[in-house]
Amino acid sequence: MEFIPNTEPERQYWFMDRLRSMIAEEAQRAGRDLTYCIRTFGCQMNAKDSEKLAGVLENIGYKEADSENADFVIYNTCTVRENANTRVYGRIGYLGTLKAKNPFMKIALCGCMMQEAHEVEKVKKSYRFVDIVFGTHNIFKLAELIYEKMNSENKQLIDIWEGTSEIVEDLPSSRKFDFKAGINITYGCDNFCTYCIVPYVRGRERSRKPEDIVKEAKELAAKGVIEVMLLGQNVNSYGKGLEEHCSFAELLKKVCEVEGIKRVRFMTPHPKDFSDEVIEVMKNEPKICAHVHLPVQSGSSAILKRMNRHYAKEQYLTLVEKIKRELPGVALTTDIIVGFPGETEEDFLDTVDVVRKCGFDSAFTFIYSKRTGTPAASYPDEVPEDVVKDRFERLLAVCREESEKAAERLTGKTAEVLVEGLDEGKSGMLTGRLSNNLLVHFEGCENLIGKILKVKLDECKGFYYLGSLLSE
Ligand code: 5AD
Ligand code: SF4
C-alpha cells in the first residue's frame, strides 16, 4: 500500500495526482475531453468556494463547459432563504435526466444546504443519482472524495462535517476573472442573528493568519489581479483567536501595502463592530474603495433587539453619519429584511425612516424567510403574507427613489473605472465599475478589460451610468 500523506494540502495533491490518470483514462474511453460545470447559488463566499472546486477539477483534467450538459456537475448550494433551496431542487431532477444519457457523468452537491440534516435526507431518499454530497467544512477534500467515489462504484458518497477548526491553505483555484479576486479572511460566524442559518451551516468564526492573506494577495497581484475583495461573514471582527493580534484595520493596511493591488474592497462588515480605526484607515488609504455595505436589517430598535443585532436605530444612524462625514463620497449600501415576526406597521415605518435618512445608494431587500433551527423560527406573531408583500413593495419604491437620488450625484463628473467586461447585448460597449461599486457602460474595445481608466459619467440611468472614455 502506497503512503498517503496525512497532512493538508499534500494529501489532496496526492489524490489529484492519482485522479489525473484516472480521468485521462475515462476521457480516452469517452473519446473526448471530459467537462465540468459548477452552478453557484448564494453569496460571495460560495462564489469563492466554487473557484476552489473548479481549481481541483481543472487540475485533474476536466475542461470547463458552459452548461450542465457536462461530465462533472456540482451544485454549490445556499440556504439563507427558502427560495434558494427551492431553486436547487427545481433543477436537480433535470441533472438526473442528463445523467441517464451520459455514462461518464458525475453529480455532486455541496455548500450550505448540505449542512442541514433534513436536506441530506431528502437527497438520500429522492435523488439517488447524486454521486457525492459534501458540506461547507470539507470543500478542500473534493479530490479525495472523487477518488473514493471512483473506487467504490454504485454508492452515494456522503461526507458532512459538523464543524472544523482547520483552514487548508494553498489548494488550486480557478478564478472567474483575471483582474479581480476574492480573498477569504474569516470563515464562519459567531453572531447568531436570530433569523440567520449561517452560524449553523458555516460554523464558528475562524480568522486566517494575516501572513497567509498577504501571501495570497501578493500571489494574485503577481498574476495580474488589481482588485481584491476581502471576504467574511463579519469582516470587522477579524482577528479573534489569532496567535498574534491583528485587527481588521491593521489587516486592511497590510493588504493595501501589496504592490500591484490597486483597489481593495471588503464584504461584509457588521455595524456593531465598525471601529473608528477602520474609518481612519479608509480615510488615509486611497486603495480602499469608496463603498461600505452595512446591513441594517431593520430600522426598528425593538425588532433589532429581537434579531440580536446589538445596535439600536439611533446607533446605526450615528454610525452612518460618522461614515458619511469622515468619508465624503462613500457609497453606502445595505440589506433589509421585511416581515420579521412581530413587525408592526410602526416598526416598518422606522425602517422606511432609516432608508430615507441614510439615502442608501442601493439596498438589497428580502422578505423574512423562516429557517428551521434558528431562534426566530419559533417566534410568535408571524406577519401575514399580504401585509409583508405590501410592505415589501412600499419599501422597494422608497429604496429605488433613494438610490436614484444617490446615483445622480455623480452625473457629469469623471471617475476612475475598472473595466470588467463587454456590455452584454450591446456590441462595442464595455462595462466598468466605479470605486463606489456603481456600473458605467461606455464605448471601447475588448482589450481594455482589466484596466483602470478615466470615464466621464454623462448620464445617470438610475442604477448605472452611460459614460464616455477619457483616457486609455
Ligand atoms: N430571511 C430573509 N433574509 C435573510 N437574510 C439572512 N437570513 C435571512 C432570512 N432568514 C438576509 C440578510 C443578510 C443577507 C445576506 O440575507 O439581510 O444580510
Ligand atoms: Fe452564503 Fe449564507 Fe447562502 Fe451560505 S447560506 S451561501 S453563507 S448566503
Side-chain angles (χ1 to χ4, degrees), residues 180 226-230 248 252 256 261-267 274 278-279 281-293 323 327-332 416-418 420 433-438 452:
K180 67 171 188 175
I226 58 174
E227 178 179 304
V228 293
M229 163 95 82
L230 306 183
F248 178 58
L252 272 175
C256 287
I261 298 296
K262 296 193 176 130
R263 280 182 166 185
V264 177
R265 300 183 183 275
F266 55 86
M267 184 92 107
F274 210 102
V278 168
I279 297 179
V281 177
M282 290 185 75
K283 211 160 128 181
N284 297 328
E285 191 37 83
K287 286 186 182 180
I288 302 179
C289 287
H291 175 210
V292 176
H293 183 66
I323 291 174
L327 307 167
V330 76
L332 197 74
E416 287 203 332
V417 161
L418 170 56
E420 297 204 333
R433 195 177 291 273
L434 277 68
S435 165
N436 75 3
N437 214 36
L438 274 176
I452 293 183

Side-chain angles (χ1 to χ4, degrees), residues 334-379:
T334 200
D335 292 343
I336 303 171
I337 298 175
V338 179
F340 186 78
E343 184 189 73
T344 62
E345 177 65 16
E346 210 185 344
D347 292 320
F348 172 70
L349 291 177
D350 267 328
T351 300
V352 173
D353 187 45
V354 167
V355 174
R356 289 278 187 221
K357 288 198 167 112
C358 296
F360 293 115
D361 290 69
S362 93
F364 297 93
T365 48
F366 305 108
I367 286 179
Y368 168 72
S369 171
K370 187 174 176 171
R371 309 313 292 134
T372 311
T374 61
S378 57
Y379 287 2

